[in-house]
Amino acid sequence: MKTAAQQSQLQQFVEELCGASIRAATSAAGFRFRGREAVIDERSAGIRAPHLYPQLDSDTFSSFRGAADGITQRIKHSDSALHRSLMPSTETGKLLFELLEQLRVESLVDRDKYPGCAANLDYRYKAWCAQFCNSGLTESHVGLLVYTIAQVAWSRLSGQPVNEATEGLIEPQRMMLAPHIGGYLAGMRRAREDQHAYAQNALGIVAVIDELTEALSKADKTPQDDGDDTLTSGSMTLFPETDDQGLLPGLRSHAHSASFERLQAQLSDYKVYSNARDRVIEATKLVLPHQRESLREQLDETIRGQRVNIPRLARQLRALLSASEHNHWADAQEEGYLDSAQINRIVTAPSYRAVFKQEHAKPHSDCVVSFLIDNSGSMKEHIQPIAAFIEVLCRALALADIKSEVLGFTTRSWQGGASFKAWRRAGGTPNPGRLAELEHIIYKDADTDIRRARSALAAMLKPSIFKESVNGEALLWATERLMARPEKRRILIVLSDGCPMETATVQNNPDDFLDAHLAMVAALLEKHPNIALFGLGFGLDLSRYYRHSLALDLPHPLENSVFNEFLRLLATQR
């Protein structure tokens, strides 16, 4: 059985193959998958059709090939802005409209010229329809209506018969719907190459289904549901996750779909065998004086060759993270707000135009940024460029008058240390919880000037610091520090290369004990109204934990392009 880390790595590998195929077939050079989400130039591609997101634990590679071909067709033949502008308001309507648009672009494949692509698309769609039926979603009124539309529309557009195995299931629905949607189906087939005309017919079908759904809910004397329960089963959901920016593809993970209260209850089940030897320590206390000078020279040498315009980066960070604050009014202007003190001029000197005033605002920093660095052994190979990356950012933030904090997390010993030995002496009871002795490191606190933190930041390079990692508790520690700050805007950025790993804890607790805790903590923080959480991955995509994440490959020397990627990530939670 694959571990969560192995599953994540395999998922990334498959997504990289599919992404390369999509880039080769389209002009979208910036296309890639970010945690199962299709993005172009780091922005959502807006592709939400549920059959385009197969899952490794239930689908074959042929399904992934078909989904990749489907996304290719969507990029090549669909105007995403037009599609968004016509999107209906109901959840079931959104699902159907998205599905019908995807079927349109897939029907445009030349089956004689590209038989392989057509076969991949057919395979994936049929596999998804089979999963739809097997999941039990067709047992609800709305689920059966959606499945019927999916079958009938696909058959009409592709010229192929509906699924023989479920023909009897959908026949009553099809007979009932035929007088209401027959004209729209015919219109869709005729208008396949005209997205706007096709969409008008698709919206006609959506209106019929929405009306039927409302009537059925009234007949059952239950409130009309929003689709979240009706079209979600234990094994499948048809509604991809959304964020503040609009529709985003990717099926719900357990962590993100759970309620805030449920997550809190689950977190309370997390156990710690002993925290007697846990400690929070300043980085300079981990390094001898002569070592500090040597490590500082190493870091200075790395930073010296960077090709980064720090003043420009500071301006960009100020514009992104600072709020506007009223400064003063400039009077005697020829446009702006009418100045009441100049009203008499309008009467006595009609040609005089400087009777307006303008408000002048200046950027005001009320923000703190905390960098939380994974100091596990596997991060050692990445730490040199990461340390330079962090120091450059701290310098730029200081120029922008924005506070920054740099923290690290590791363990005091390998494989549990004294805590683990005490547990064994006590009889080694099952499922003891976290057995490691935590080491939380302060490289720079938010009130320390960057110039005074030079030695402490260089301590990141000391090899013996790097041991094992308990990520979930580190996030809670960093959050607690942030919440004690007076700034209104608080940003937490985690820098890591993957899953938590502490040998003694992993070997003596249920599978994924630490991994599940990290996922729950991250999900809880993402629901927190006063924290913006981001993940920066090195060697591994962290999007399975952090909804707003970026996989970074830091070049040497560092370049402006890397920081531009980072700024685009921060902009997703403006």
Side-chain angles (χ1 to χ4, degrees):
M1 183 177 178
K2 292 184 177 66
T3 65
Q6 290 171 326
Q7 189 80 356
S8 179
Q9 289 171 341
L10 180 58
Q11 178 79 38
Q12 285 183 236
F13 176 70
V14 172
E15 288 177 352
E16 286 171 6
L17 290 178
C18 292
S21 170
I22 293 166
R23 287 191 296 273
T26 68
S27 59
F31 178 89
R32 70 183 184 91
F33 287 97
R34 186 178 65 193
R36 303 196 67 224
E37 174 193 341
V39 298
I40 299 176
D41 297 329
E42 297 305 321
R43 294 186 177 276
S44 171
I47 302 173
R48 200 189 182 206
H51 66 285
L52 296 185
Y53 295 89
Q55 302 184 67
L56 278 173
D57 56 357
S58 58
D59 290 299
T60 65
F61 187 65
S62 295
S63 274
F64 283 87
R65 289 177 60 186
D69 285 342
I71 293 173
T72 297
Q73 287 295 108
R74 185 66 171 271
I75 294 172
K76 290 169 68 174
H77 299 294
S78 183
D79 181 335
S80 59
L82 174 61
H83 182 68
R84 286 195 304 271
S85 70
L86 297 172
M87 184 69 68
S89 59
T90 64
E91 284 300 299
T92 304
K94 291 175 183 177
L95 170 66
L96 282 174
F97 190 64
E98 176 68 24
L99 183 62
L100 292 173
E101 172 60 8
Q102 185 60 38
L103 293 179
R104 179 186 76 84
V105 299
E106 292 182 12
S107 74
L108 297 177
V109 169
D110 187 330
R111 291 179 172 266
D112 294 327
K113 191 175 181 180
Y114 302 106
C117 177
N120 292 340
L121 294 171
D122 289 348
Y123 179 91
R124 175 57 201 149
Y125 192 67
K126 290 176 180 177
W128 174 78
C129 287
Q131 291 168 344
F132 194 146
C133 289
N134 294 335
S135 69
L137 290 173
T138 55
E139 294 176 9
S140 72
H141 292 307
V142 178
L144 185 54
L145 283 171
V146 169
Y147 180 74
T148 301
I149 295 297
Q151 282 289 303
V152 171
W154 178 78
S155 176
R156 182 64 66 95
L157 292 167
S158 69
Q160 300 185 61
V162 297
N163 182 6
E164 184 178 355
T166 58
E167 191 170 5
L169 175 69
I170 69 170
E171 187 58 27
Q173 305 291 318
R174 183 161 59 171
M175 293 293 291
M176 180 265 291
L177 290 170
H180 306 286
I181 68 171
Y184 296 129
L185 287 170
M188 286 197 310
R189 181 170 175 80
R190 288 192 301 269
R192 283 184 302 168
E193 296 187 4
D194 183 339
Q195 182 180 346
H196 189 273
Y198 177 94
Q200 302 309 310
N201 289 285
L203 289 170
I205 292 177
V206 167
V208 171
I209 298 302
D210 279 344
E211 187 176 348
L212 282 170
T213 301
E214 184 177 2
L216 287 169
S217 72
K218 287 179 178 177
D220 291 339
K221 296 182 180 180
T222 58
Q224 184 179 4
D225 67 63
D226 61 2
D228 207 27
D229 297 324
T230 311
L231 291 178
T232 304
S233 75
S235 60
M236 189 179 190
T237 178
L238 299 182
F239 288 98
E241 195 171 336
T242 63
D243 73 358
D244 293 339
Q245 305 303 316
L247 301 177
L248 287 179
L251 302 179
R252 290 184 179 89
S253 68
H254 170 74
H256 285 126
S257 63
S259 68
F260 190 81
E261 294 77 12
R262 172 72 171 163
L263 287 167
Q264 286 183 311
Q266 288 174 318
L267 282 175
S268 67
D269 292 337
Y270 178 79
K271 294 189 296 183
V272 175
Y273 180 73
S274 172
N275 58 12
R277 283 177 52 84
D278 295 352
R279 72 177 180 182
V280 176
I281 188 168
E282 294 179 4
T284 50
K285 294 181 180 179
L286 297 172
V287 184
L288 296 173
H290 73 277
Q291 291 177 314
R292 295 175 198 168
E293 293 180 11
S294 174
L295 294 174
R296 187 62 240 179
E297 288 176 5
Q298 289 182 43
L299 186 52
D300 284 340
E301 182 64 28
T302 304
I303 293 174
R304 198 172 292 122
Q306 306 313 311
R307 303 169 184 164
V308 181
N309 187 330
I310 295 180
R312 185 177 71 176
L313 178 60
R315 291 193 296 271
Q316 292 171 315
L317 286 165
R318 184 185 295 114
L320 191 61
L321 301 180
S322 296
S324 293
E325 183 180 66
H326 174 75
N327 189 13
H328 68 279
W329 289 97
D331 53 14
Q333 304 295 306
E334 294 194 357
E335 58 182 15
Y337 297 95
L338 184 64
D339 188 349
S340 59
Q342 301 290 333
I343 290 178
N344 63 320
R345 289 287 193 100
I346 299 175
V347 178
T348 60
S351 61
Y352 184 72
R353 299 198 50 80
V355 294
F356 298 93
K357 62 181 180 178
Q358 292 181 356
E359 183 180 21
H360 283 218
K362 64 177 181 180
H364 168 66
S365 172
D366 195 14
C367 176
V368 58
V369 180
S370 178
F371 298 97
L372 179 64
I373 304 170
D374 177 356
N375 290 148
S376 61
S378 57
M379 279 285 281
K380 194 186 301 183
E381 64 179 285
H382 305 291
I383 197 60
Q384 191 96 9
I386 287 175
F389 177 75
I390 291 294
E391 180 151 337
V392 168
L393 279 172
C394 287
R395 289 183 187 181
L397 287 165
L399 284 176
D401 195 28
I402 296 170
K403 301 282 189 178
S404 65
E405 180 164 76
V406 183
L407 309 173
F409 63 96
T410 182
T411 56
R412 296 188 65 179
S413 308
W414 291 94
Q415 301 183 14
S419 179
F420 173 60
K421 293 174 184 176
W423 169 72
R424 291 187 66 179
R425 287 195 300 269
T429 54
N431 302 327
R434 187 257 292 172
L435 289 169
E437 303 158 345
L438 301 185
E439 180 110 293
H440 290 162
I441 305 168
I442 301 173
Y443 293 108
K444 176 189 176 299
D445 68 39
D447 292 320
T448 299
D449 185 271
I450 181 65
R451 290 167 293 188
R452 293 179 55 203
R454 282 170 48 79
S455 293
L457 290 173
M460 276 189 266
L461 303 183
K462 185 180 180 182
S464 60
I465 285 177
F466 297 83
K467 295 183 180 73
E468 300 189 270
S469 64
V470 180
N471 302 45
E473 289 189 67
L475 260 71
L476 292 172
W477 168 64
T479 300
E480 185 178 1
R481 290 179 61 88
L482 275 177
M483 293 307 297
R485 297 290 309 171
E487 291 82 5
K488 291 182 180 178
R489 188 172 185 184
R490 305 175 181 95
I491 297 173
L492 176 57
I493 300 167
V494 184
L495 298 90
S496 179
D497 66 345
C499 306
M501 180 61 197
E502 197 288 307
T503 307
T505 302
V506 168
Q507 290 178 346
N508 296 287
N509 285 281
D511 290 344
D512 298 330
F513 173 74
L514 293 176
D515 194 75
H517 183 245
L518 169 58
M520 286 187 287
V521 170
L524 189 71
L525 294 184
E526 285 175 347
K527 296 175 183 293
H528 200 297
N530 299 315
I531 296 285
L533 179 64
F534 300 90
L536 296 180
F538 302 88
L540 188 71
D541 182 359
L542 299 183
S543 54
R544 65 187 298 262
Y545 303 112
Y546 309 107
R547 187 172 184 179
H548 298 275
S549 66
L550 176 66
L552 276 182
D553 182 13
L554 296 179
H556 181 72
L558 291 175
E559 297 177 347
N560 288 315
S561 59
V562 171
F563 293 93
N564 290 337
E565 287 186 72
F566 174 73
L567 291 169
R568 283 196 292 270
L569 175 66
L570 290 185
T572 61
Q573 284 208 56
R574 275 191 89 165

